[in-house]
């Protein structure tokens, strides 16, 4: 029996990705943000400003950790140095949970520093499941896996993306960070129904939601995180709240970063949409 | 080789050495975009993302040669030294060495030194927060223990010898409104780059100070430091000069743990009273963006 079935999904509220541009505003203003997500790799350093601000902001806010280098789908060996460093940061931050992406980031010793998609095959499921289990054993807790935006589809794929994600999560007994914008982007790029995706993901495994902006480039949508959240993504988010209930949600913004107050306004809209859905009203 | 592993190698090869025609038989035609267009997103994003990391680690160098030339440098460097680290933080570590060994950059002889200087600033920026020695710690050292006393240099400290007016160029290039800057070469001058609390700093060293500091860096005792100073000043002036230098280094938070023959002194971090002008224009951290 999985540990999951005994665990109540925690609800942190509505959060933001912590970005260095906002360190001093956050500490000076202590804004009404329920929690922050940090990019783990930004704090895998030995000292100085990153850890200085991290510790001080952590003293005021709940945090979760979000990694970009686990490369859970790579056929390369797991990077144990990275995992040990991550474990050290988890001990320091005491996050509500930690997450990374259902992707690979390189082979043959090279890190491409991108979230490369996997083919949706039985072989890839078995490979990822075994590695997630090892990571969870090593870190000593369940992890969340996030769906990525993708621009390529492989001839090898036998399953849909949502079948792939669900199978991995259930067999590895891990949790899911559902990126609503990534679903929207991939649905557009690969011609599938984003609402069917939501329906296929098991409710109890979704512990966190990402929202972000994207950019249309001719015949593709690119997940750029440099704009406000688009209206169709808000609509998809409303459907997600109807299906999954109260899930900790946050905005990722990584480029053309606006003042903190603009993100807090955007977060108010996220909160408003979710709370209306939960009260059974129409957004 | 598993089928998954084979696919990953093929895909990665397209990014590392992009073929002219990106159409690949393993990419499905079922998507909205043509297979070559699907792959092109990844092929174009890869060098752009790594170049962006170099720009953020070498902002003055980027300004010094301009975006177009920097583009070429970043591309050549990426081909020679793809990232092998979990963090982008380490990607640019070999840029100075790369520039120095690349014939194409011989016409910019100051460039490698600027890269070395800027990387040293980055190294100081997030070096460990080890405790520093205080003047108070020194007061507890008994007179007979002084000659054998040795110190650990704080891990943020970088010692560089610069032949060009690199630090001055860096300061001008880092200004809000950079003014024209001319590189000029002279004899090698010793410099220190380090971090005081959260502020990255740099300064040059006088010849006698350099000899004394390098002696400490090599594990020399205070007695040996004094001996080095006799090459520069009269023997009777040495104790005062040595004490003055040590006091200044402690004030600048360059000195970590102090060891005497008898015991290891324990040190706490205390706020610095030093009022040097901050030289640090760097951001408060790097963001490595997830996508
Ligand atoms: Fe995301």
């Amino acid at each position: 029996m999985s540990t999951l079935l005994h665990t109540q999904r925690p609800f942190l509220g509505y959060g933001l990705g912590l970005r260095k541009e906002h360190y001093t505003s956050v500490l000076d203003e202590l804004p009404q943000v329920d929690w922050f997500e940090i990019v783990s790799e930004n704090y895998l350093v030995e000292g100085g400003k990153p850890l200085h601000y991290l510790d001080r902001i952590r003293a005021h806010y709940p945090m979760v950790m979000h990694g970009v280098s686990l490369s859970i789908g790579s056929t390369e060996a797991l990077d144990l140095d990275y995992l040990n460093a991550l474990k050290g940061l988890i001990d320091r931050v005491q996050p509500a949970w930690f997450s990374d992406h259902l992707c690979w980031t390189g082979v043959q010793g090279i890190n491409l520093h991108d979230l490369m998609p996997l083919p949706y095959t039985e072989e890839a499921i078995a490979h990822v499941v075994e590695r997630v289990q090892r990571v969870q054993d090593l870190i000593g807790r369940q992890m969340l896996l996030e769906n990525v935006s993708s621009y390529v589809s492989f001839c090898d794929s036998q399953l849909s993306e949502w079948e792939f994600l669900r199978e991995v999560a259930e067999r590895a007994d891990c949790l899911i960070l559902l990126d609503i914008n990534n679903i929207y982007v991939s649905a557009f790029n690969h011609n599938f129904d984003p609402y069917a995706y939501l329906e296929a993901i098991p409710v109890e495994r979704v512990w966190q939601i990402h929202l972000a902006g994207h950019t249309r480039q001719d015949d593709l949508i690119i997940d750029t995180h440099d704009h406000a959240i688009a209206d169709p993504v808000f609509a998809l988010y409303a459907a997600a709240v109807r299906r999954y209930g109260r899930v900790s949600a946050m905005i990722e913004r990584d480029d053309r970063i606006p003042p903190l107050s603009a993100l807090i306004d955007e977060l108010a809209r996220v909160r408003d949409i979710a709370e209306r859905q939960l009260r059974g009203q129409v957004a | 080789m598993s089928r998954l592993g084979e696919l990953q190698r093929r895909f990665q090869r397209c990014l590392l050495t992009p073929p002219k025609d990106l159409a690949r038989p393993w990419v499905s035609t079922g998507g909205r975009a043509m297979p070559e267009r699907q792959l092109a997103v990844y092929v174009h994003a890869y060098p752009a993302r790594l170049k962006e990391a170099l720009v953020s680690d070498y902002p003055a160098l980027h300004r010094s040669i301009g975006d177009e030339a920097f583009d070429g440098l970043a591309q050549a460097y990426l081909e020679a030294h793809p990232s092998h680290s979990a963090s982008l933080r380490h990607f640019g570590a070999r840029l100075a060495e790369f520039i120095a060994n690349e014939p194409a950059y011989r016409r910019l002889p100051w460039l490698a030194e600027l890269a070395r200087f800027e990387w040293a600033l980055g190294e100081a920026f997030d070096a460990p927060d080890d405790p520093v020695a205080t003047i108070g710690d020194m007061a507890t050292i008994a007179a007979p223990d002084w000659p054998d006393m040795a110190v650990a240099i704080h891990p943020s400290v970088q010692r560089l010898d610069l032949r060009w007016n690199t630090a001055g160029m860096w300061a001008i290039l880092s200004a809000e409104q950079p003014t024209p800057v001319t590189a000029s070469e002279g004899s090698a001058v010793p410099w220190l780059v380090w971090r005081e609390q959260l502020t990255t700093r740099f300064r040059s060293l006088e010849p006698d100070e350099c000899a004394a500091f390098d002696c400490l860096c090599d594990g020399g005792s205070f007695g040996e430091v004094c001996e080095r100073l006799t090459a520069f000043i009269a023997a009777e002036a040495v104790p005062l000069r040595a004490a003055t230098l040590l006091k200044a280094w402690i004030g600048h938070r360059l000195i970590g743990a102090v060891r005497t023959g008898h015991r290891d002194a324990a040190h706490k971090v205390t706020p610095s009273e030093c009022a040097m002008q901050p030289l640090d224009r760097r951001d408060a951290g790097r963001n490595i963006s997830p996508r």
Side-chain angles (χ1 to χ4, degrees):
Chain A
M1 172 150 300
S2 77
T3 50
L4 176 83
L5 300 178
H6 306 287
T7 319
Q8 185 68 39
R9 172 173 69 198
F11 177 63
L12 302 178
Y14 303 90
L16 290 177
L18 182 63
R19 302 294 178 255
K20 62 182 165 59
E21 290 78 0
H22 298 143
Y23 284 163
T24 51
S25 316
V26 169
L27 280 180
D28 293 349
E29 300 158 22
L30 295 179
Q32 293 280 322
V33 175
D34 296 334
W35 55 283
F36 283 102
E37 180 189 80
I38 62 163
V39 175
S40 309
E41 284 72 7
N42 289 342
Y43 303 93
L44 295 178
V45 295
E46 293 180 284
K49 278 182 186 170
L51 294 174
H52 170 92
Y53 284 108
L54 174 68
D55 290 345
R56 275 153 190 78
I57 294 169
R58 175 67 183 97
H60 295 283
Y61 293 94
M63 274 186 188
V64 308
M65 281 170 46
H66 186 49
V68 294
S69 300
L70 180 60
S71 200
I72 198 72
S74 173
T75 46
E76 193 92 331
L78 279 171
D79 182 346
L80 294 182
D81 290 341
Y82 170 75
L83 281 167
N84 284 323
L86 191 69
K87 195 164 197 264
L89 189 63
I90 288 172
D91 288 344
R92 181 181 191 124
V93 173
Q94 297 287 319
W97 54 78
F98 77 103
S99 64
D100 205 300
H101 303 82
L102 182 52
C103 72
W104 60 286
T105 64
V107 284
Q108 298 173 296
I110 288 176
N111 191 343
L112 301 166
H113 297 284
D114 200 353
L115 308 173
M116 310 293 286
L118 288 159
Y120 308 131
T121 62
E122 276 297 327
E123 180 198 16
I125 291 172
H127 179 71
V128 172
V129 163
E130 189 270 335
R131 284 162 67 98
V132 171
Q133 286 168 337
R134 272 199 289 145
V135 169
Q136 294 186 146
D137 285 348
L138 207 138
I139 302 285
R141 49 201 291 190
Q142 270 183 309
M143 71 170 300
L144 276 66
L145 273 184
E146 177 182 357
N147 59 302
V148 298
S149 282
S150 70
Y151 314 102
V152 70
S153 45
F154 300 111
C155 298
D156 275 3
S157 290
Q158 304 147 342
L159 306 164
S160 65
E161 186 188 327
W162 55 89
E163 288 168 324
F164 181 73
L165 173 59
R166 185 184 60 210
E167 281 304 303
V168 166
E170 289 191 334
R171 287 196 219 168
D173 192 17
C174 70
L175 303 164
I176 293 173
L177 194 182
L178 207 57
D179 188 313
I180 302 297
N181 181 60
N182 288 349
I183 293 178
Y184 180 82
V185 168
S186 294
F188 179 89
N189 293 340
H190 306 302
N191 290 314
F192 64 73
D193 174 9
Y195 291 87
Y197 195 127
L198 291 184
E199 287 306 313
I201 299 301
V203 169
E204 70 282 2
R205 291 200 184 262
V206 179
W207 276 32
Q208 186 185 340
I209 281 177
H210 270 173
L211 294 161
H214 58 243
T215 305
R216 175 83 185 259
Q217 283 180 10
D218 307 322
D219 48 354
L220 289 175
I221 295 182
I222 312 289
D223 175 37
T224 45
H225 294 189
D226 61 350
H227 283 83
I229 302 160
D231 285 340
V233 174
F234 271 123
L236 193 59
Y237 172 58
V241 174
R242 286 195 295 273
R243 171 161 169 78
Y244 307 117
R246 265 201 174 75
V247 177
S248 309
M250 58 151 289
I251 302 171
E252 291 183 293
R253 185 67 179 256
D254 294 296
D255 218 337
R256 304 200 325 153
I257 294 180
L260 186 59
S261 57
L263 291 178
I264 289 170
D265 290 347
E266 196 180 19
L267 193 59
R269 187 170 169 202
V270 173
R271 188 191 306 261
D272 188 54
I273 287 173
E275 296 303 321
R276 277 168 191 245
Q277 299 305 318
L278 292 163
R279 288 196 306 267
Q281 297 172 10
V282 178
Chain B
M1 169 73 53
S2 67
R3 201 173 166 84
L4 177 61
E6 184 54 44
L7 179 68
Q8 290 177 342
R9 281 175 188 231
R10 281 183 180 149
F11 200 164
Q12 178 164 298
R13 212 174 301 135
C14 284
L15 269 58
L16 298 181
T17 46
K20 271 208 171 58
D21 176 9
L22 281 174
R24 283 291 173 278
W26 40 272
V27 176
S28 162
T29 51
R32 189 180 294 263
M34 300 296 285
E36 54 269 37
R37 165 79 173 117
Q38 297 179 33
L39 275 189
V41 176
Y42 295 93
V43 169
H44 294 151
Y46 171 59
R49 187 173 46 255
L50 283 129
K51 179 201 160 189
E52 202 182 310
L54 285 184
V55 171
S56 90
D57 281 343
Y58 295 97
L61 192 147
H62 177 239
R63 277 184 166 183
S64 75
I65 58 174
D67 196 55
E68 205 175 307
F70 194 91
D71 228 38
L73 172 61
Q75 187 62 44
Y77 178 71
L78 176 59
E79 280 165 25
H81 300 291
S83 172
H84 293 283
S85 165
S87 170
L88 272 173
R89 166 72 184 82
H90 309 290
F91 170 58
R94 301 175 70 179
L95 189 65
E97 175 200 328
F98 177 78
I99 293 169
N101 294 325
E102 205 47 33
Y105 294 101
R106 287 212 185 110
R107 62 195 171 80
L108 302 171
W110 46 269
L111 195 64
E113 202 176 274
L114 181 58
R116 198 151 61 85
F117 181 72
E118 211 155 31
W119 188 256
L121 293 173
E123 291 286 271
F125 172 82
D126 56 15
D129 299 307
D130 284 13
V132 293
T134 64
I135 299 294
D137 296 329
M138 294 295 140
T140 66
I141 296 170
D145 290 338
W146 273 89
D148 288 335
M149 179 196 73
V151 301
I153 303 300
H154 194 272
S156 85
V157 176
Q158 329 274 316
R159 256 285 284 116
L160 292 86
D161 291 321
L162 302 178
R163 302 191 66 87
W164 296 82
N165 55 331
T166 298
M169 285 201 292
W170 181 88
I172 292 170
L173 289 162
S174 304
E176 218 71 67
Q177 300 287 329
T179 47
V181 52
T182 314
S184 59
E185 192 180 14
S187 52
V189 174
W191 285 80
L192 287 182
V193 172
W194 80 102
R195 190 180 76 233
E196 271 185 66
Q197 312 276 47
L198 297 179
T199 306
T200 309
R201 300 186 189 280
F202 52 84
R203 71 176 174 92
S204 60
L205 298 171
E206 294 299 319
D208 69 330
E209 183 182 18
C210 174
F213 191 81
D214 286 349
C215 179
L216 274 193
C217 289
D218 294 341
S221 66
F222 193 69
E224 288 165 315
V225 166
C226 289
E227 220 172 281
R228 287 282 180 92
L229 287 173
T230 59
F232 298 88
I233 50 175
E236 58 271 26
V238 163
L240 179 61
R241 177 64 173 156
T244 306
L245 288 173
L246 185 62
K247 197 176 163 200
W249 296 336
I250 288 170
H252 285 156
R253 307 175 71 90
L254 300 169
I255 306 295
V258 176
R259 292 186 305 276
T260 61
H262 301 299
R263 69 203 144 77
D264 284 331
H267 305 287
K268 292 198 303 282
V269 177
T270 57
S272 164
E273 320 84 76
C274 173
M276 250 175 76
Q277 197 57 31
L279 295 163
D280 182 14
R281 301 196 55 86
R282 296 175 68 86
D283 278 332
R286 309 145 199 266
N287 279 339
I288 300 161
S289 306
R291 276 247 312 265

